[in-house]
Amino acid sequence: MKWLLLGIGVLLFSQSGYSFFHRRNDTELIMMKLQEAKILMADEKYDEAINLLKQIVDQYPEEEKTEIALATINHCYQIIGYMNEAFDYYQEVEKKHPDTRVALVAVYYYIPILIQRERYQEAIQKCQQIYDKAPESYWAIGSLFNLSLIHI
């Protein structure tokens, strides 16, 4: 009887529980890496922080906390003034992880660069893309704000 219960437990864990525990472990791992990146940033090791954060984006593009990694990458790029590299990276994320939320976040971050480069039509299209795919999101609201910058 003991072996039967153990077998049922293993079966239940492997069928339904694994994804919950796996996701929880992924979230915890992401949070630990985000903390490590913050420490690197505090030590002004921005390139190292960016590399660590890019690993999060590459390994966990579907995880919600990955948006924080992308936002932190954006912050690092702004601090060190590497906006051309930032632009290239955001486009790479959009292409590498299409139809994911992290791709929309990447698009959101490169819209201001498009506006700065006076590529207004492309910026408008990208704002519309975010709004169409995630109209209730923070990113859609932000993209509407970006749209207002084009017409000022």
Side-chain angles (χ1 to χ4, degrees):
M1 183 68 161
K2 182 167 77 172
W3 294 108
L4 177 63
L5 290 175
L6 180 62
I8 291 171
V10 169
L11 181 64
L12 289 174
F13 177 74
S14 66
Q15 293 295 319
S16 62
Y18 178 74
S19 64
F20 168 76
F21 289 109
H22 185 66
R23 181 172 296 259
R24 181 173 174 216
N25 289 338
D26 286 349
T27 300
E28 290 172 1
L29 184 60
I30 292 168
M31 294 307 292
M32 287 179 6
K33 287 184 177 188
L34 288 170
Q35 288 300 324
E36 185 179 344
K38 285 182 183 179
I39 292 168
L40 290 168
M41 290 170 64
D43 291 339
E44 297 183 2
K45 296 178 180 177
Y46 298 108
D47 289 329
E48 290 178 45
I50 289 169
N51 289 333
L52 178 62
L53 295 162
K54 284 181 176 182
Q55 290 174 13
I56 295 171
V57 173
D58 287 340
Q59 292 173 356
Y60 308 101
E62 300 289 337
E63 293 290 329
E64 188 174 319
K65 299 292 184 192
T66 300
E67 294 177 23
I68 298 170
L70 203 54
T72 309
I73 289 169
N74 185 61
H75 183 68
C76 287
Y77 275 134
Q78 287 182 351
I79 289 171
I80 58 179
Y82 290 1
M83 295 317 291
N84 288 332
E85 290 84 351
F87 184 75
D88 294 341
Y89 177 67
Y90 302 142
Q91 288 184 316
E92 176 186 319
V93 170
E94 181 187 20
K95 289 176 185 158
K96 193 173 185 179
H97 306 289
D99 300 321
T100 64
R101 202 160 162 84
V102 77
L104 291 179
V105 176
V107 169
Y108 172 81
Y109 282 121
Y110 78 73
I111 289 171
I113 301 170
L114 289 171
I115 293 169
Q116 183 182 23
R117 294 177 177 181
E118 298 180 3
R119 293 167 57 180
Y120 302 124
Q121 194 59 40
E122 192 176 348
I124 291 168
Q125 291 170 346
K126 292 300 181 180
C127 289
Q128 187 66 52
Q129 175 185 343
I130 293 172
Y131 189 77
D132 289 345
K133 291 186 177 183
E136 305 282 324
S137 70
Y138 165 83
W139 312 112
I141 294 167
S143 67
L144 290 174
F145 175 76
N146 283 326
L147 260 172
S148 71
L149 295 176
I150 293 172
H151 297 291
I152 292 179

Short mmCIF file of all heavy atoms in Angstrom, two decimals, residues 33 36-38 40-41 44-58 69-83 85-86 89-90:
data_model
loop_
_atom_site.label_atom_id
_atom_site.label_comp_id
_atom_site.label_asym_id
_atom_site.label_seq_id
_atom_site.Cartn_x
_atom_site.Cartn_y
_atom_site.Cartn_z
N LYS A 33 19.08 36.38 -9.97
CA LYS A 33 19.94 36.99 -10.99
C LYS A 33 19.71 38.50 -11.08
O LYS A 33 20.65 39.27 -11.31
CB LYS A 33 19.71 36.33 -12.34
CG LYS A 33 20.29 34.93 -12.44
CD LYS A 33 20.14 34.36 -13.83
CE LYS A 33 20.79 32.99 -13.91
NZ LYS A 33 20.82 32.49 -15.28
N GLU A 36 21.63 40.01 -8.32
CA GLU A 36 23.06 40.00 -8.67
C GLU A 36 23.37 41.15 -9.64
O GLU A 36 24.39 41.83 -9.50
CB GLU A 36 23.44 38.66 -9.29
CG GLU A 36 24.91 38.51 -9.58
CD GLU A 36 25.27 37.16 -10.18
OE1 GLU A 36 24.46 36.22 -10.12
OE2 GLU A 36 26.39 37.07 -10.72
N ALA A 37 22.48 41.39 -10.58
CA ALA A 37 22.66 42.49 -11.54
C ALA A 37 22.64 43.84 -10.82
O ALA A 37 23.42 44.74 -11.14
CB ALA A 37 21.59 42.44 -12.62
N LYS A 38 21.77 43.98 -9.82
CA LYS A 38 21.71 45.23 -9.06
C LYS A 38 23.02 45.48 -8.32
O LYS A 38 23.50 46.61 -8.24
CB LYS A 38 20.56 45.19 -8.05
CG LYS A 38 19.21 45.37 -8.67
CD LYS A 38 18.12 45.37 -7.61
CE LYS A 38 16.76 45.47 -8.23
NZ LYS A 38 15.69 45.45 -7.22
N LEU A 40 25.98 44.38 -9.29
CA LEU A 40 26.95 44.77 -10.32
C LEU A 40 26.75 46.24 -10.72
O LEU A 40 27.73 46.97 -10.89
CB LEU A 40 26.81 43.86 -11.55
CG LEU A 40 27.27 42.43 -11.36
CD1 LEU A 40 26.82 41.56 -12.54
CD2 LEU A 40 28.79 42.36 -11.21
N MET A 41 25.50 46.65 -10.82
CA MET A 41 25.22 48.04 -11.18
C MET A 41 25.68 48.99 -10.07
O MET A 41 26.22 50.06 -10.36
CB MET A 41 23.73 48.22 -11.45
CG MET A 41 23.27 47.54 -12.73
SD MET A 41 21.48 47.51 -12.90
CE MET A 41 21.10 49.25 -13.00
N GLU A 44 29.04 49.78 -10.47
CA GLU A 44 29.25 50.39 -11.78
C GLU A 44 29.85 49.43 -12.81
O GLU A 44 30.59 49.83 -13.70
CB GLU A 44 30.08 51.67 -11.66
CG GLU A 44 29.39 52.73 -10.82
CD GLU A 44 30.15 54.04 -10.73
OE1 GLU A 44 31.23 54.17 -11.36
OE2 GLU A 44 29.66 54.94 -10.04
N LYS A 45 29.49 48.18 -12.69
CA LYS A 45 29.91 47.15 -13.66
C LYS A 45 28.73 46.89 -14.60
O LYS A 45 28.12 45.83 -14.61
CB LYS A 45 30.32 45.87 -12.93
CG LYS A 45 31.54 46.07 -12.04
CD LYS A 45 31.90 44.80 -11.30
CE LYS A 45 33.11 45.01 -10.42
NZ LYS A 45 33.45 43.82 -9.64
N TYR A 46 28.41 47.91 -15.38
CA TYR A 46 27.21 47.87 -16.21
C TYR A 46 27.28 46.83 -17.31
O TYR A 46 26.27 46.19 -17.61
CB TYR A 46 26.92 49.26 -16.77
CG TYR A 46 26.66 50.27 -15.68
CD1 TYR A 46 27.59 51.25 -15.39
CD2 TYR A 46 25.50 50.22 -14.93
CE1 TYR A 46 27.35 52.18 -14.37
CE2 TYR A 46 25.25 51.13 -13.91
CZ TYR A 46 26.19 52.10 -13.64
OH TYR A 46 25.96 53.00 -12.63
N ASP A 47 28.44 46.68 -17.93
CA ASP A 47 28.56 45.67 -19.00
C ASP A 47 28.30 44.27 -18.46
O ASP A 47 27.62 43.46 -19.11
CB ASP A 47 29.94 45.74 -19.66
CG ASP A 47 30.10 46.99 -20.52
OD1 ASP A 47 29.10 47.45 -21.07
OD2 ASP A 47 31.24 47.47 -20.64
N GLU A 48 28.84 43.98 -17.27
CA GLU A 48 28.60 42.67 -16.66
C GLU A 48 27.13 42.49 -16.30
O GLU A 48 26.57 41.41 -16.49
CB GLU A 48 29.48 42.49 -15.41
CG GLU A 48 30.95 42.35 -15.71
CD GLU A 48 31.78 42.23 -14.43
OE1 GLU A 48 31.37 41.45 -13.54
OE2 GLU A 48 32.82 42.90 -14.34
N ALA A 49 26.52 43.55 -15.79
CA ALA A 49 25.10 43.49 -15.45
C ALA A 49 24.27 43.24 -16.70
O ALA A 49 23.35 42.40 -16.69
CB ALA A 49 24.66 44.78 -14.76
N ILE A 50 24.58 43.93 -17.77
CA ILE A 50 23.85 43.75 -19.03
C ILE A 50 23.97 42.31 -19.51
O ILE A 50 22.97 41.71 -19.92
CB ILE A 50 24.33 44.76 -20.10
CG1 ILE A 50 23.87 46.17 -19.75
CG2 ILE A 50 23.84 44.36 -21.49
CD1 ILE A 50 24.50 47.27 -20.60
N ASN A 51 25.16 41.76 -19.46
CA ASN A 51 25.35 40.37 -19.91
C ASN A 51 24.53 39.39 -19.07
O ASN A 51 23.92 38.47 -19.60
CB ASN A 51 26.83 39.99 -19.88
CG ASN A 51 27.61 40.68 -20.98
OD1 ASN A 51 27.07 41.02 -22.03
ND2 ASN A 51 28.89 40.92 -20.74
N LEU A 52 24.51 39.59 -17.77
CA LEU A 52 23.72 38.74 -16.88
C LEU A 52 22.22 38.87 -17.18
O LEU A 52 21.50 37.88 -17.28
CB LEU A 52 24.00 39.09 -15.42
CG LEU A 52 23.22 38.31 -14.38
CD1 LEU A 52 23.53 36.82 -14.45
CD2 LEU A 52 23.52 38.85 -12.99
N LEU A 53 21.78 40.09 -17.37
CA LEU A 53 20.36 40.34 -17.66
C LEU A 53 19.95 39.79 -19.02
O LEU A 53 18.83 39.27 -19.18
CB LEU A 53 20.08 41.85 -17.57
CG LEU A 53 20.25 42.45 -16.18
CD1 LEU A 53 20.39 43.96 -16.26
CD2 LEU A 53 19.11 42.04 -15.27
N LYS A 54 20.85 39.85 -19.98
CA LYS A 54 20.56 39.27 -21.30
C LYS A 54 20.38 37.75 -21.20
O LYS A 54 19.57 37.18 -21.93
CB LYS A 54 21.68 39.60 -22.30
CG LYS A 54 21.63 41.02 -22.81
CD LYS A 54 22.75 41.27 -23.80
CE LYS A 54 22.68 42.64 -24.40
NZ LYS A 54 23.74 42.87 -25.40
N GLN A 55 21.13 37.12 -20.30
CA GLN A 55 20.95 35.68 -20.09
C GLN A 55 19.54 35.38 -19.61
O GLN A 55 18.93 34.40 -20.04
CB GLN A 55 21.96 35.17 -19.06
CG GLN A 55 23.38 35.14 -19.52
CD GLN A 55 24.34 34.76 -18.40
OE1 GLN A 55 23.94 34.29 -17.34
NE2 GLN A 55 25.62 34.96 -18.63
N ILE A 56 19.02 36.22 -18.74
CA ILE A 56 17.64 36.04 -18.25
C ILE A 56 16.66 36.12 -19.41
O ILE A 56 15.78 35.28 -19.56
CB ILE A 56 17.29 37.08 -17.17
CG1 ILE A 56 18.15 36.89 -15.92
CG2 ILE A 56 15.80 37.00 -16.80
CD1 ILE A 56 18.03 38.01 -14.89
N VAL A 57 16.82 37.15 -20.24
CA VAL A 57 15.92 37.34 -21.38
C VAL A 57 15.98 36.15 -22.32
O VAL A 57 14.95 35.65 -22.78
CB VAL A 57 16.23 38.66 -22.12
CG1 VAL A 57 15.40 38.79 -23.39
CG2 VAL A 57 15.98 39.86 -21.21
N ASP A 58 17.19 35.67 -22.59
CA ASP A 58 17.35 34.54 -23.51
C ASP A 58 16.80 33.23 -22.94
O ASP A 58 16.20 32.44 -23.66
CB ASP A 58 18.82 34.34 -23.88
CG ASP A 58 19.32 35.41 -24.83
OD1 ASP A 58 18.49 36.06 -25.50
OD2 ASP A 58 20.55 35.59 -24.92
N ALA A 69 14.04 42.37 -16.17
CA ALA A 69 15.40 42.27 -16.71
C ALA A 69 15.57 43.20 -17.91
O ALA A 69 16.58 43.90 -18.02
CB ALA A 69 15.72 40.83 -17.09
N LEU A 70 14.59 43.21 -18.78
CA LEU A 70 14.68 44.06 -19.97
C LEU A 70 14.65 45.54 -19.58
O LEU A 70 15.40 46.36 -20.14
CB LEU A 70 13.55 43.73 -20.94
CG LEU A 70 13.76 44.10 -22.39
CD1 LEU A 70 15.05 43.53 -22.95
CD2 LEU A 70 12.60 43.62 -23.23
N ALA A 71 13.82 45.90 -18.62
CA ALA A 71 13.78 47.28 -18.14
C ALA A 71 15.11 47.69 -17.52
O ALA A 71 15.59 48.82 -17.72
CB ALA A 71 12.66 47.45 -17.12
N THR A 72 15.74 46.76 -16.82
CA THR A 72 17.03 47.05 -16.19
C THR A 72 18.13 47.16 -17.24
O THR A 72 19.03 48.00 -17.12
CB THR A 72 17.36 45.97 -15.14
OG1 THR A 72 16.24 45.82 -14.26
CG2 THR A 72 18.57 46.35 -14.32
N ILE A 73 18.05 46.35 -18.28
CA ILE A 73 18.99 46.48 -19.40
C ILE A 73 18.86 47.88 -20.00
O ILE A 73 19.87 48.55 -20.26
CB ILE A 73 18.73 45.40 -20.48
CG1 ILE A 73 19.15 44.02 -19.97
CG2 ILE A 73 19.46 45.74 -21.79
CD1 ILE A 73 18.71 42.86 -20.85
N ASN A 74 17.63 48.33 -20.20
CA ASN A 74 17.40 49.65 -20.75
C ASN A 74 18.04 50.72 -19.85
O ASN A 74 18.70 51.64 -20.34
CB ASN A 74 15.90 49.91 -20.89
CG ASN A 74 15.61 51.22 -21.57
OD1 ASN A 74 15.99 51.43 -22.71
ND2 ASN A 74 14.94 52.12 -20.87
N HIS A 75 17.85 50.58 -18.55
CA HIS A 75 18.43 51.53 -17.60
C HIS A 75 19.96 51.55 -17.71
O HIS A 75 20.57 52.63 -17.75
CB HIS A 75 17.98 51.15 -16.18
CG HIS A 75 18.44 52.09 -15.13
ND1 HIS A 75 17.98 53.38 -15.03
CD2 HIS A 75 19.33 51.91 -14.13
CE1 HIS A 75 18.58 53.98 -14.01
NE2 HIS A 75 19.40 53.11 -13.44
N CYS A 76 20.57 50.38 -17.78
CA CYS A 76 22.03 50.30 -17.91
C CYS A 76 22.51 50.96 -19.18
O CYS A 76 23.48 51.74 -19.17
CB CYS A 76 22.49 48.84 -17.88
SG CYS A 76 22.40 48.03 -16.29
N TYR A 77 21.85 50.66 -20.29
CA TYR A 77 22.26 51.26 -21.56
C TYR A 77 22.16 52.79 -21.50
O TYR A 77 23.00 53.49 -22.05
CB TYR A 77 21.42 50.72 -22.72
CG TYR A 77 21.90 49.42 -23.31
CD1 TYR A 77 21.02 48.38 -23.57
CD2 TYR A 77 23.24 49.23 -23.66
CE1 TYR A 77 21.45 47.19 -24.15
CE2 TYR A 77 23.68 48.05 -24.23
CZ TYR A 77 22.78 47.04 -24.48
OH TYR A 77 23.22 45.87 -25.05
N GLN A 78 21.11 53.29 -20.85
CA GLN A 78 20.98 54.74 -20.73
C GLN A 78 22.10 55.34 -19.90
O GLN A 78 22.64 56.39 -20.24
CB GLN A 78 19.62 55.10 -20.14
CG GLN A 78 18.49 54.90 -21.11
CD GLN A 78 17.15 55.30 -20.53
OE1 GLN A 78 17.02 55.59 -19.35
NE2 GLN A 78 16.13 55.32 -21.38
N ILE A 79 22.45 54.67 -18.81
CA ILE A 79 23.52 55.17 -17.94
C ILE A 79 24.85 55.26 -18.69
O ILE A 79 25.56 56.26 -18.59
CB ILE A 79 23.66 54.29 -16.68
CG1 ILE A 79 22.45 54.50 -15.76
CG2 ILE A 79 24.96 54.60 -15.93
CD1 ILE A 79 22.39 53.53 -14.59
N ILE A 80 25.17 54.22 -19.44
CA ILE A 80 26.48 54.21 -20.11
C ILE A 80 26.43 54.84 -21.51
O ILE A 80 27.46 54.99 -22.15
CB ILE A 80 27.09 52.79 -20.17
CG1 ILE A 80 26.18 51.80 -20.90
CG2 ILE A 80 27.42 52.29 -18.77
CD1 ILE A 80 26.75 50.38 -21.01
N GLY A 81 25.23 55.22 -21.94
CA GLY A 81 25.09 55.94 -23.20
C GLY A 81 25.25 55.11 -24.46
O GLY A 81 25.60 55.63 -25.50
N TYR A 82 24.96 53.82 -24.36
CA TYR A 82 25.10 52.93 -25.52
C TYR A 82 23.74 52.70 -26.19
O TYR A 82 23.27 51.59 -26.30
CB TYR A 82 25.67 51.58 -25.09
CG TYR A 82 27.11 51.56 -24.66
CD1 TYR A 82 27.89 52.70 -24.62
CD2 TYR A 82 27.71 50.37 -24.30
CE1 TYR A 82 29.21 52.68 -24.22
CE2 TYR A 82 29.04 50.33 -23.90
CZ TYR A 82 29.78 51.48 -23.86
OH TYR A 82 31.09 51.44 -23.46
N MET A 83 23.14 53.77 -26.66
CA MET A 83 21.78 53.64 -27.20
C MET A 83 21.75 52.94 -28.56
O MET A 83 20.76 52.31 -28.91
CB MET A 83 21.08 54.99 -27.25
CG MET A 83 20.86 55.59 -25.85
SD MET A 83 20.28 54.42 -24.57
CE MET A 83 18.63 54.08 -25.13
N GLU A 85 23.67 50.36 -29.33
CA GLU A 85 23.69 48.94 -28.94
C GLU A 85 22.34 48.52 -28.38
O GLU A 85 21.87 47.42 -28.64
CB GLU A 85 24.80 48.68 -27.91
CG GLU A 85 26.20 48.78 -28.47
CD GLU A 85 26.75 50.21 -28.53
OE1 GLU A 85 25.99 51.18 -28.28
OE2 GLU A 85 27.94 50.36 -28.83
N ALA A 86 21.73 49.42 -27.61
CA ALA A 86 20.41 49.13 -27.05
C ALA A 86 19.40 48.90 -28.17
O ALA A 86 18.64 47.93 -28.15
CB ALA A 86 19.94 50.28 -26.16
N TYR A 89 19.93 45.60 -29.77
CA TYR A 89 19.54 44.51 -28.88
C TYR A 89 18.02 44.36 -28.82
O TYR A 89 17.50 43.24 -28.90
CB TYR A 89 20.10 44.72 -27.48
CG TYR A 89 19.65 43.63 -26.53
CD1 TYR A 89 20.09 42.31 -26.70
CD2 TYR A 89 18.76 43.90 -25.50
CE1 TYR A 89 19.65 41.30 -25.85
CE2 TYR A 89 18.33 42.90 -24.65
CZ TYR A 89 18.77 41.61 -24.83
OH TYR A 89 18.33 40.61 -24.00
N TYR A 90 17.30 45.46 -28.71
CA TYR A 90 15.84 45.38 -28.63
C TYR A 90 15.26 44.77 -29.91
O TYR A 90 14.31 43.98 -29.86
CB TYR A 90 15.22 46.75 -28.39
CG TYR A 90 15.70 47.43 -27.14
CD1 TYR A 90 15.92 48.80 -27.11
CD2 TYR A 90 15.98 46.72 -25.97
CE1 TYR A 90 16.37 49.44 -25.97
CE2 TYR A 90 16.43 47.34 -24.83
CZ TYR A 90 16.63 48.71 -24.84
OH TYR A 90 17.08 49.34 -23.72
#
